[in-house]
């Protein structure tokens, strides 16, 4: 991040979470006019696989369907680097800690999740939040764990508990591995913290971005093995660019995945 952006973040009360330009308090979304336009364009883009808009695209990687066939919560899909200016928001989420970015993301995550729970007749208060932790090496490198920040913020907004159930000492970089290797690598990378789930049976498993779902699958495996009966993956965005390469994905089960939040839903 440029030094000027760091200074802006320190001294300006309210700024655009994409470009850090100061903005007024009457703005509903934390974007300047230009970035709001980019955001609206981003949100209304159509999925290249199912043709639906970003918020209602139902494509999911097969790994995540193995965890839960009827409940997976996300807000938007994104396509790797093809997100235009809004890519800055994703970069901030991963690399530059900013409470306002986390706050924005968990507002959207809460909205999608509550809508999903309502449509399934599920009481979200029966759940506890846990998360896929960032690799220790990267926590050190970037100074924070974005999944932990998202999980804590989301749990607070929902008024439910949050438990750390995994350590991630990391092994290989997931990026360089194929689908099968990823699951195996993830299983080895995430270490379950003994007795951490306690008597809790239902978990919202939070991560920032869903790619192949292999880390989600690995963490769920550990949870199920330790007495948990239900895991609902909850992410801010899913990477459709990665999903596209997964041949067993989409269409077949699309009817299960309607997590779109209709306009005006509270
Ligand atoms: Zn802006
Ligand atoms: Zn789609």
């Amino acid at each position: 991040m440029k030094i000027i952006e760091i200074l802006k973040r320190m001294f300006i009360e309210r700024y655009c979470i994409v470009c850090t330009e100061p903005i007024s308090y009457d703005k509903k979304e934390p974007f300047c006019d230009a970035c709001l336009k980019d955001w609206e364009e981003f949100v209304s883009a159509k999925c290249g696989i199912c043709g639906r808009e970003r918020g209602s695209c139902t494509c999911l990687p097969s790994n995540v369907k193995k965890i839960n066939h009827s409940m997976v919560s996300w807000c938007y899909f994104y396509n790797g680097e093809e997100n235009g200016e809004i890519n800055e928001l994703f970069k901030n989420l991963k690399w530059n800690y900013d409470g306002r970015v986390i706050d924005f993301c968990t507002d959207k995550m809460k909205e999608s999740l509550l809508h999903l729970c309502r449509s399934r007749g599920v009481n979200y208060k029966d759940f506890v939040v846990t998360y896929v932790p960032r690799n220790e090496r990267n926590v050190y490198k970037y100074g924070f764990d974005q999944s932990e920040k998202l999980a804590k913020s989301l749990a607070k907004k929902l008024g439910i508990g949050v438990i750390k159930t995994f350590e991630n000492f990391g092994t290989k970089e997931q990026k360089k591995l194929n689908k099968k290797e990823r699951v195996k690598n993830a299983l080895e990378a995430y270490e379950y913290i003994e007795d951490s789930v306690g008597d809790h049976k239902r978990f919202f498993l939070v991560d920032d971005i869903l790619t192949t779902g292999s880390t989600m699958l690995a963490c769920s495996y550990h949870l199920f093995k330790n007495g948990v009966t239900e895991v609902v993956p909850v992410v801010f965005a899913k990477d459709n660019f990665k999903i596209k390469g997964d041949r067993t994905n989409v269409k077949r089960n699309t009817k299960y995945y309607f997590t779109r939040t209709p306009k005006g839903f509270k």
Side-chain angles (χ1 to χ4, degrees):
M1 188 164 28
K2 289 187 200 108
I3 191 86
I4 185 85
E5 283 165 9
I6 296 170
L7 289 172
K8 275 184 184 171
R9 268 160 213 224
M10 284 167 75
F11 296 108
I12 298 168
E13 283 286 302
R14 197 158 189 249
Y15 50 79
C16 171
I17 59 170
V18 179
C19 72
T20 71
E21 279 301 302
I23 53 171
S24 65
Y25 280 90
D26 54 3
K27 292 243 184 299
K28 196 176 153 269
E29 304 276 28
F31 299 120
C32 69
D33 291 339
C35 293
L36 182 63
K37 214 171 148 258
D38 289 335
W39 174 253
E40 280 164 357
E41 233 165 68
F42 169 83
V43 168
S44 61
K46 300 269 195 305
C47 167
I49 315 169
C50 72
R52 293 184 174 93
E53 280 193 1
R54 232 174 254 272
S56 45
C57 150
T58 51
C59 307
L60 280 175
S62 53
N63 277 335
V64 94
K65 290 179 189 171
K66 290 177 192 158
I67 305 168
N68 193 328
H69 245 277
S70 62
M71 284 185 81
V72 180
S73 179
W74 68 85
C75 307
Y76 309 100
F77 73 75
Y78 98 134
N79 276 340
E81 297 293 310
E82 303 164 19
N83 306 304
E85 287 303 310
I86 297 305
N87 218 30
E88 291 304 310
L89 179 67
F90 289 100
K91 285 184 190 165
N92 286 337
L93 176 62
K94 278 196 180 291
W95 301 324
N96 308 313
Y97 174 64
D98 183 343
R100 290 167 217 225
V101 173
I102 300 290
D103 194 45
F104 172 78
C105 294
T106 55
D107 273 351
K108 302 288 179 201
M109 287 165 83
K110 180 188 167 188
E111 212 177 347
S112 294
L113 182 58
L114 289 188
H115 174 65
L116 176 67
C117 287
R118 245 161 60 152
S119 71
R120 298 289 182 280
V122 165
N123 184 2
Y124 69 91
K125 294 274 182 192
D126 294 342
F127 285 76
V128 177
V129 174
T130 192
Y131 55 94
V132 177
R134 186 172 225 174
N135 176 325
E136 286 292 310
R137 208 171 44 221
N138 286 335
V139 174
Y140 183 74
K141 188 171 169 191
Y142 300 110
F144 71 109
D145 177 344
Q146 79 278 33
S147 296
E148 180 191 9
K149 298 279 184 197
L150 289 171
K152 286 185 173 167
S153 167
L154 181 67
K156 198 172 169 201
K157 286 176 184 177
L158 294 172
I160 59 179
V162 54
I163 301 175
K164 180 173 183 178
T165 49
F166 306 102
E167 298 285 4
N168 177 2
F169 298 114
T171 46
K172 295 169 204 142
E173 278 278 353
Q174 290 283 78
K175 264 186 266 179
K176 293 164 197 148
L177 306 173
N178 71 32
K179 205 174 129 200
K180 245 192 183 151
E181 286 168 341
R182 274 184 172 225
V183 179
K184 192 173 166 283
N185 186 47
L187 268 174
E188 287 163 4
Y190 295 93
E191 204 170 288
Y192 173 70
I193 300 169
E194 220 45 60
D195 300 326
S196 58
V197 302
D199 295 329
H200 300 289
K201 298 281 176 224
R202 311 176 91 182
F203 279 84
F204 291 133
L205 180 55
V206 169
D207 204 353
D208 57 346
I209 291 162
L210 177 70
T211 52
T212 64
S214 53
T215 51
M216 279 275 184
L217 185 61
C219 289
S220 304
Y221 172 82
H222 288 301
L223 291 173
F224 288 135
K225 225 177 100 186
N226 285 282
V228 170
T229 56
E230 198 172 355
V231 176
V232 175
V234 178
V235 296
F236 175 61
K238 59 197 177 72
D239 189 341
N240 274 24
F241 192 71
K242 297 273 166 51
I243 293 171
K244 209 172 175 181
D246 176 0
R247 290 185 169 274
T248 54
N249 74 20
V250 286
K251 294 208 166 141
R252 230 166 285 169
N253 294 298
T254 47
K255 66 177 189 202
Y256 293 110
Y257 308 108
F258 288 100
T259 62
R260 187 165 91 120
T261 309
K263 280 205 171 77
F265 174 79
K266 280 273 170 300

